[in-house]
Amino acid sequence: MWRFTFYLCIFIYGFRFLCQSTWLWDTRQCWYGYPYQVMTPGLYHYYVTELAFYWSLMFSQFTDIKRKDFLIMFIHHLATVGLISFSYVNNMARVGSLVMCVHDASDFLLEAAKLANYTKYQRLCDFLFIVFSVVFFITRLVIFPIWVLNSTMFESWAIVGPFPSWWVFNVLLLVLQVLHIIWSYLIARIAIKAILRGKVCKDVRSDIESSSEDEAEKPTDGIKNSVHSVRGENGTNGHCAAAKAQNHSSW
């Protein structure tokens, strides 16, 4: 719920801010007058808020449930923090704001689908996951490379020419694009299984976190199972399992 709230609010803020900016409609404006471009208060707050959030994700990842894409997520957080910090220091905030907005467009939909899954609203979960998949593919595999990477790699080359930090910035953006392709593969696997089975199945990234379907089918073995549940091996981050354990021990 916390991540859903943040992603939704920051996306609305970023989109409203960019709608009033010239570089949203003409990406070449990101490079005219570079590096002598004014850092407005709205752009500064957008940057600082995003940077603080991704720093928190980097630390909290070590306390969350471990998934198969742990290393990929860690690299993603490192690349994101590096991109935001590096673009801020080098005054590439205009194009950086475009990168952040494109990434935030689908994140809140994924968190909403997780909420629906954990509360066992399966149809709502399926619908949100389909919408998320479509938005993810469009923003990460179409808009990001065609719109953003085209500006950072080709328009900037033509307007200001290559410079040392230009190479670092574009390498980090290409790392993000590779991660997008990997995640698209994982999402496609879930989507195919959902079509074949009629609903969104277990998250293919994890063998630890149980889906609502697994919880419904798995029998309980009294106090023995409740002890394992408290440790968070099953259920939603251990919360559902902990509630079951409390019921068992209430007598």
Side-chain angles (χ1 to χ4, degrees), residues 94-137:
R94 290 187 176 182
V95 70
S97 63
L98 298 179
V99 175
M100 293 189 298
C101 188
V102 167
H103 283 73
D104 292 336
S106 61
D107 287 338
F108 72 92
L109 293 170
L110 176 61
E111 303 302 332
K114 289 180 181 179
L115 287 174
N117 182 46
Y118 293 156
T119 52
K120 300 184 179 180
Y121 288 97
Q122 192 61 50
R123 291 184 179 179
L124 179 60
C125 174
D126 296 343
F127 172 76
L128 290 173
F129 182 78
I130 292 173
V131 176
F132 158 74
S133 301
V134 173
V135 174
F136 186 92
F137 292 143

Side-chain angles (χ1 to χ4, degrees), residues 69-240:
D69 66 343
F70 176 87
L71 180 59
I72 298 176
M73 286 298 298
F74 186 71
I75 295 174
H76 171 266
H77 296 331
L78 281 177
T80 302
V81 170
L83 273 170
I84 296 176
S85 304
F86 188 79
S87 59
Y88 177 80
V89 171
N90 286 275
N91 206 24
M92 297 178 177
R94 290 187 176 182
V95 70
S97 63
L98 298 179
V99 175
M100 293 189 298
C101 188
V102 167
H103 283 73
D104 292 336
S106 61
D107 287 338
F108 72 92
L109 293 170
L110 176 61
E111 303 302 332
K114 289 180 181 179
L115 287 174
N117 182 46
Y118 293 156
T119 52
K120 300 184 179 180
Y121 288 97
Q122 192 61 50
R123 291 184 179 179
L124 179 60
C125 174
D126 296 343
F127 172 76
L128 290 173
F129 182 78
I130 292 173
V131 176
F132 158 74
S133 301
V134 173
V135 174
F136 186 92
F137 292 143
I138 292 176
T139 55
R140 306 292 180 94
L141 300 184
V142 179
I143 295 179
F144 182 73
I146 295 178
W147 187 43
V148 178
L149 287 182
N150 177 69
S151 178
T152 60
M153 297 183 67
F154 301 107
E155 290 179 350
S156 62
W157 184 291
I159 296 174
V160 299
F163 46 95
S165 58
W166 180 93
W167 295 97
V168 177
F169 186 64
N170 280 283
V171 167
L172 289 174
L173 288 177
L174 290 175
V175 170
L176 274 184
Q177 185 57 37
V178 172
L179 296 176
H180 294 163
I181 296 173
I182 296 174
W183 278 318
S184 297
Y185 166 74
L186 295 176
I187 293 171
R189 286 184 59 187
I190 299 176
I192 292 174
K193 291 182 180 180
I195 294 175
L196 295 177
R197 299 177 60 178
K199 63 179 180 179
V200 175
C201 60
K202 182 180 178 181
D203 191 343
V204 297
R205 299 176 305 155
S206 177
D207 289 330
I208 300 176
E209 185 176 9
S210 299
S211 65
S212 58
E213 178 188 3
D214 295 333
E215 292 175 358
E217 294 177 355
K218 187 172 182 178
T220 57
D221 292 326
I223 298 177
K224 181 179 179 180
N225 253 4
S226 66
V227 173
H228 291 295
S229 299
V230 173
R231 295 174 183 170
E233 294 179 2
N234 296 299
T236 305
N237 291 336
H239 297 304
C240 294

Side-chain angles (χ1 to χ4, degrees), residues 35-52:
Y36 307 104
Q37 297 172 342
V38 177
M39 173 68 74
T40 63
L43 185 56
Y44 171 78
H45 293 143
Y46 189 29
Y47 250 69
V48 171
T49 304
E50 289 271 17
L51 181 60

Side-chain angles (χ1 to χ4, degrees), residues 53-69:
F53 180 74
Y54 280 104
W55 265 116
S56 71
L57 288 186
M58 183 180 298
F59 291 121
S60 64
Q61 185 182 4
F62 293 95
T63 59
D64 289 342
I65 290 178
K66 297 296 187 296
R67 297 183 173 88
K68 292 179 181 178
D69 66 343

